[in-house]
Amino acid sequence: MSERRPSPNNELVALYPGSFDPLHNGHVDIIHRASDLFGHVIVAVYDKPDKRLYFTTAERVELVRESVAQWTNVEAASYANLTVDYARDRSAHAIIRGLRATSDFDFEFQLALMNRHLNEDIEALFLMTSLEHAHLSSTLVKELSQHGAPIEDLVPAGVAEALRRKRERTDG
Ligand code: ADP
């Protein structure tokens, strides 16, 4: 892998919103690359996504926080309002999303156009997944974990540990 550029000395703020239930290495890769481009990156954990949650909002935020601690220009937060409203509240210039496959595109396209309709001042920016993370999703990680399959290569250490604890509680 090429050597990383130092964090940029600029005032551009990016919001990276998602469910992060839980955070995995595909997300971490996007966060790391965004932190090379933006002066400040807010990883924004959505409080009430339209899906059944495995981890509470506080747990999801804490797992993000400890996993991004090495990047001083990255922050973890939660929000419960519309993403564009939260982005405006936090003075974000762009909303970052990751793209894995063409199957992500339709939904992300619709979402980006709706967000622009709601607030045309905030740009949507897409970062393509890295090849080694293209197959990764939170849903698959949870499923593997529930069946006791190894997930240490797919998620940060703290997330693997949290998944293990959660599984033991559910099993026991
Ligand atoms: P959502 O926000 O749709 O509930 P997630 O929390 O899983 O979904 O993901 C947040 C963002 O990260 C989304 O833009 C999603 O496309 C992106 N993402 C998810 N998995 C990957 C991956 N393996 N590589 C790159 N980006 C990803």
Side-chain angles (χ1 to χ4, degrees):
M1 206 197 237
S2 66
E3 217 167 274
R4 290 273 172 199
R5 295 183 305 280
S7 290
N9 181 19
N10 69 47
E11 290 176 2
L12 290 178
V13 176
L15 189 84
Y16 178 37
S19 314
F20 304 109
D21 186 37
L23 183 81
H24 57 61
N25 289 348
H27 298 133
V28 174
D29 176 57
I30 298 286
I31 294 166
H32 188 185
R33 288 158 54 199
S35 79
D36 277 349
L37 297 170
F38 286 86
H40 190 65
V41 176
I42 303 161
V43 183
V45 176
Y46 186 43
D47 186 39
K48 289 195 169 55
D50 192 15
K51 41 182 145 179
R52 233 186 100 241
L53 289 169
Y54 199 59
F55 289 99
T56 66
T57 301
E59 287 171 329
R60 288 178 288 137
V61 171
E62 187 47 37
L63 289 173
V64 172
R65 184 167 293 135
E66 64 183 41
S67 306
V68 302
Q70 69 267 44
W71 300 304
T72 51
N73 64 336
V74 179
E75 144 192 7
S78 66
Y79 72 106
N81 52 345
L82 273 179
T83 302
V84 281
D85 290 345
Y86 185 63
R88 186 204 53 218
D89 294 347
R90 297 300 314 269
S91 308
H93 302 88
I95 292 174
I96 303 270
R97 296 285 285 175
L99 287 178
R100 275 163 295 193
T102 49
S103 52
D104 280 341
F105 181 80
D106 281 350
F107 177 67
E108 295 294 341
F109 184 59
Q110 198 183 5
L111 196 61
L113 291 184
M114 180 54 79
N115 283 342
R116 179 172 301 161
H117 170 76
L118 294 169
N119 186 336
E120 61 182 16
D121 293 333
I122 300 174
E123 194 53 84
L125 199 69
F126 297 94
L127 296 183
M128 200 64 68
T129 187
S130 300
L131 208 50
E132 67 264 38
H133 301 127
H135 59 299
L136 254 180
S137 73
S138 297
T139 304
L140 278 180
V141 164
K142 283 178 280 195
E143 196 164 336
L144 290 177
S145 166
Q146 279 163 351
H147 291 286
I151 46 155
E152 286 71 21
D153 290 348
L154 309 178
V155 295
V159 175
E161 177 59 21
L163 282 164
R164 192 184 59 72
R165 282 199 307 268
K166 187 79 81 179
R167 189 179 75 240
E168 283 172 0
R169 227 171 297 148
T170 322
D171 288 351

